[in-house]
Amino acid sequence: MTPPAPTRHTVFFISDGTGITAETLGHSLLSQFEGIQPAQVRMPFIDSDAKAADCVAQINAAGTKDGNRPIVISTLVNPGAATVLRQANALILDFFGAFISPLEAELGIKSSHTIGRSHSLVNSSEYVARMDAINFTLAHDDGVSSAELDKSDVILVGVSRSGKTPTSLYLAIQFGIKAANYPLIPEDFERNKLPDGLSKHRHKLFGLTINPDRLAAIRQERRPDSTYASIENCRWEIDQAQKLMRREGIEWLESTTKSIEEIGATLLQSLKIDRRTC
Amino acid sequence: MTPPAPTRHTVFFISDGTGITAETLGHSLLSQFEGIQPAQVRMPFIDSDAKAADCVAQINAAGTKDGNRPIVISTLVNPGAATVLRQANALILDFFGAFISPLEAELGIKSSHTIGRSHSLVNSSEYVARMDAINFTLAHDDGVSSAELDKSDVILVGVSRSGKTPTSLYLAIQFGIKAANYPLIPEDFERNKLPDGLSKHRHKLFGLTINPDRLAAIRQERRPDSTYASIENCRWEIDQAQKLMRREGIEWLESTTKSIEEIGATLLQSLKIDRRTC
């Protein structure tokens, strides 16, 4: 007995602001349902009754076309626009309606309901720290001077193409963390210890390792048929890197099946660091 | 009359997985309340009853210390852990409880409730596209060959330090969009048109401009007391860049007071492009 084919639904992400929260929320919810692949429509900057009325028209049209009510993930805070939106023939999951009221009661203050306020952060110390961290990480990708390592929050170590760069950039953009990289190379393995400049930062070090087959495949795309990309060399480098990290007492994670979000969360927990502000 | 000082609350972000969704959600909620600066505790990977019980102890301890119930933003999907968590003396905002049930009814299927599933995306085409886009954007920051522009989804143009690089990286990491940059320089203004290699990609072009005082301040940090950083030169470059973009029919945005999230959402809407998969 095969399960019935999933019915077709369109999902709308509707927001006064950028729609990032609505979309993150929505993806997280939808990922809990196997086998559905709904059409997705992002509608940011819905900050007036007229724009909300336009959304309602689009939602109802999609419902007619699909033969099923659309699903609406809304982070609208503007009361007028939210009221208009409720006229749509759809399942409306209203993020602010569900959570803002209990928070107002708990905190004993009223919410600002300011349109787009949650992303008007450009002058906040948190935003400045994120931009600084992006610049730092770009300037210090793959090898850094000792002086600059003093300024870093985290130093990722691992063999070439083990995932250090995307992880560093994610940490910078998401958390404002200044992440430097240090690629482990054959000279480090021959020396059998970390360079002196790195040892004194051991509390900031976090290692990445990777499955040798996966590493060989990634390197093969970069430099086809090179020694660098050969499975024998990849096995040797990873084995040496793990021995070095074990000897130096560096915590590490295998990146093969982990997303940058998972690596980042594990690293922050392990090094006991948190989102930065200036 | 001064308003009363806000009471002290600790906010916990609790998740089976990385906690990114709980934190995004939580920041969005908290930003609606003026003047509160709660202590924030991220507790990822809470995937057992024992770990949930440990959370409850920490939540209750914080409540005793603060003299106020903590606020808990939970994205727990594990029913056992969620039940344990409900024993905490806190305001618990339960994301899955509030939204999963109505979704199950609407879709007519049960949710998978798989722990951490929402971030186990490493082998998905969406994740692969994001990693490809990060590599592309890093390789093509500040000037690209015409051949490579064919592969880009977006080409950001603007004067040096107008915000192109952080925006490109955000688009790559968040949406898997291959974003190239083209810095507008005095040669472009003298020539009075875009280079031939760019003109044929006009549908992918998006401009960034910036307030001259802000630009001068940013450049001053990079190259103090240079002509490059002088307010006169910044005014001239921005004026020329805007004339060129207007002449070429390029949509642009002033980045001065906009976050990369806001710039990104505006750009996607304007160019009518969406999240990429392979």
Side-chain angles (χ1 to χ4, degrees):
Chain A
M1 203 176 83
T2 51
T7 51
R8 186 181 158 78
H9 290 265
T10 302
V11 177
F12 288 83
F13 304 113
I14 298 186
S15 167
D16 309 82
T18 61
I20 301 298
T21 305
E23 205 174 339
T24 304
L25 203 68
H27 283 167
S28 184
L29 274 171
L30 294 173
S31 73
Q32 294 297 316
F33 293 87
E34 296 280 354
I36 63 162
Q37 292 191 312
Q40 299 179 27
V41 182
R42 190 190 305 126
M43 305 186 103
F45 308 121
I46 304 304
D47 52 9
S48 70
D49 292 9
K51 288 183 189 169
D54 183 50
C55 289
V56 170
Q58 289 193 52
I59 292 165
N60 290 347
T64 304
K65 192 171 159 225
D66 294 343
N68 287 299
R69 289 206 304 176
I71 292 156
V72 174
I73 319 275
S74 164
T75 57
L76 289 183
V77 289
N78 179 308
T83 302
V84 172
L85 185 67
R86 276 195 289 277
Q87 297 164 4
N89 182 22
L91 173 69
I92 298 177
L93 301 176
D94 174 358
F95 172 54
F96 282 91
F99 292 142
I100 283 281
S101 295
L103 258 179
E104 288 187 337
E106 189 74 18
L107 295 170
I109 48 176
K110 289 283 169 195
S111 68
S112 62
H113 274 222
T114 311
I115 292 170
R117 190 176 144 65
S118 62
H119 289 280
S120 295
L121 296 167
V122 175
N123 295 315
S124 71
S125 62
E126 183 179 309
Y127 190 79
V128 173
R130 287 171 63 206
M131 295 305 109
D132 282 353
I134 294 172
N135 287 329
F136 180 91
T137 297
L138 283 175
H140 302 99
D141 188 29
D142 260 20
V144 280
S145 71
S146 299
E148 293 296 322
L149 290 179
D150 292 343
K151 297 181 194 157
S152 69
D153 299 312
V154 174
I155 306 163
L156 286 165
V157 298
V159 301
S160 164
R161 312 304 300 168
S162 55
K164 301 185 298 299
T165 298
T167 302
S168 304
L169 287 169
Y170 173 74
L171 288 170
I173 288 188
Q174 184 75 25
F175 299 108
I177 283 170
K178 289 180 177 160
N181 286 342
Y182 181 81
L184 295 174
I185 53 174
E187 285 71 8
D188 297 306
F189 307 140
E190 282 157 25
R191 204 193 305 110
N192 211 7
K193 65 189 197 70
L194 287 178
D196 292 340
L198 270 189
S199 305
K200 66 171 177 170
H201 295 295
R202 189 159 305 148
H203 62 289
K204 295 185 196 175
L205 297 178
F206 192 85
L208 290 182
T209 187
I210 183 171
N211 170 285
D213 293 320
R214 177 90 187 107
L215 181 63
I218 293 170
R219 289 183 170 186
Q220 178 68 19
E221 274 186 41
R222 291 245 149 175
R223 292 198 221 152
D225 306 320
S226 60
T227 305
Y228 168 80
S230 72
I231 182 66
E232 295 75 21
N233 181 59
C234 289
R235 278 200 197 107
W236 179 79
E237 282 193 29
I238 289 167
D239 181 60
Q240 291 290 310
Q242 292 186 353
K243 278 183 184 149
L244 183 59
M245 292 191 287
R246 196 174 292 123
R247 191 183 312 125
E248 298 274 357
I250 301 171
E251 278 198 70
W252 82 77
L253 190 67
E254 151 114 25
S255 71
T256 318
T257 59
K258 297 268 192 290
S259 67
I260 51 179
E261 285 83 358
E262 289 169 309
I263 297 169
T266 305
L267 179 157
L268 295 184
Q269 197 181 38
S270 165
L271 298 184
K272 300 197 194 326
I273 51 181
D274 211 328
R275 180 182 286 272
R276 293 286 176 216
T277 50
C278 275
Chain B
M1 203 175 84
T2 52
T7 51
R8 187 183 156 77
H9 290 266
T10 301
V11 177
F12 288 84
F13 304 112
I14 298 187
S15 168
D16 310 83
T18 60
I20 301 297
T21 304
E23 206 175 337
T24 305
L25 203 66
H27 283 166
S28 183
L29 274 171
L30 295 172
S31 73
Q32 293 298 316
F33 292 89
E34 297 281 351
I36 63 163
Q37 291 191 311
Q40 299 179 28
V41 183
R42 189 189 305 125
M43 305 186 102
F45 308 122
I46 305 303
D47 53 8
S48 69
D49 291 9
K51 288 182 189 169
D54 183 51
C55 289
V56 171
Q58 289 192 54
I59 292 164
N60 290 346
T64 304
K65 190 169 161 228
D66 294 343
N68 287 300
R69 290 206 303 177
I71 292 155
V72 175
I73 319 275
S74 163
T75 57
L76 289 182
V77 289
N78 178 307
T83 303
V84 172
L85 185 67
R86 276 195 290 275
Q87 296 164 5
N89 181 21
L91 173 68
I92 298 178
L93 302 176
D94 175 359
F95 172 53
F96 283 92
F99 292 141
I100 283 281
S101 296
L103 258 180
E104 288 186 336
E106 189 75 17
L107 296 170
I109 48 177
K110 289 283 168 195
S111 69
S112 61
H113 275 220
T114 311
I115 291 169
R117 187 175 146 65
S118 62
H119 289 282
S120 295
L121 296 168
V122 176
N123 295 315
S124 72
S125 61
E126 182 178 310
Y127 189 78
V128 172
R130 287 171 64 206
M131 295 305 109
D132 281 354
I134 293 171
N135 287 329
F136 180 91
T137 297
L138 283 176
H140 303 100
D141 188 28
D142 260 20
V144 281
S145 71
S146 299
E148 294 296 321
L149 290 179
D150 291 342
K151 297 182 193 156
S152 68
D153 298 312
V154 174
I155 306 163
L156 286 164
V157 299
V159 302
S160 165
R161 312 304 300 167
S162 56
K164 300 184 299 299
T165 298
T167 302
S168 303
L169 287 169
Y170 173 74
L171 288 170
I173 287 189
Q174 183 75 26
F175 299 108
I177 283 170
K178 289 180 177 157
N181 287 340
Y182 181 81
L184 294 174
I185 53 173
E187 283 74 5
D188 297 306
F189 307 142
E190 283 158 25
R191 204 192 306 110
N192 210 8
K193 65 188 199 72
L194 287 177
D196 292 340
L198 270 188
S199 304
K200 65 171 178 170
H201 295 294
R202 189 160 303 146
H203 62 290
K204 297 184 194 174
L205 297 178
F206 192 85
L208 291 182
T209 189
I210 182 170
N211 171 286
D213 294 320
R214 176 89 188 109
L215 181 64
I218 293 170
R219 289 183 171 186
Q220 178 69 17
E221 275 187 38
R222 291 245 148 172
R223 292 198 222 151
D225 306 320
S226 60
T227 305
Y228 168 79
S230 73
I231 182 67
E232 294 76 19
N233 180 58
C234 289
R235 278 199 197 109
W236 180 79
E237 283 193 28
I238 289 167
D239 181 59
Q240 293 289 311
Q242 291 186 353
K243 278 183 185 148
L244 183 59
M245 292 191 288
R246 195 173 294 123
R247 192 182 311 124
E248 298 275 357
I250 301 172
E251 279 198 71
W252 82 78
L253 191 69
E254 151 113 27
S255 70
T256 317
T257 59
K258 296 270 191 291
S259 67
I260 50 178
E261 285 83 357
E262 290 169 309
I263 298 169
T266 304
L267 180 155
L268 295 185
Q269 198 181 37
S270 165
L271 298 184
K272 301 197 189 329
I273 50 180
D274 212 330
R275 181 181 286 273
R276 292 286 175 215
T277 49
C278 275

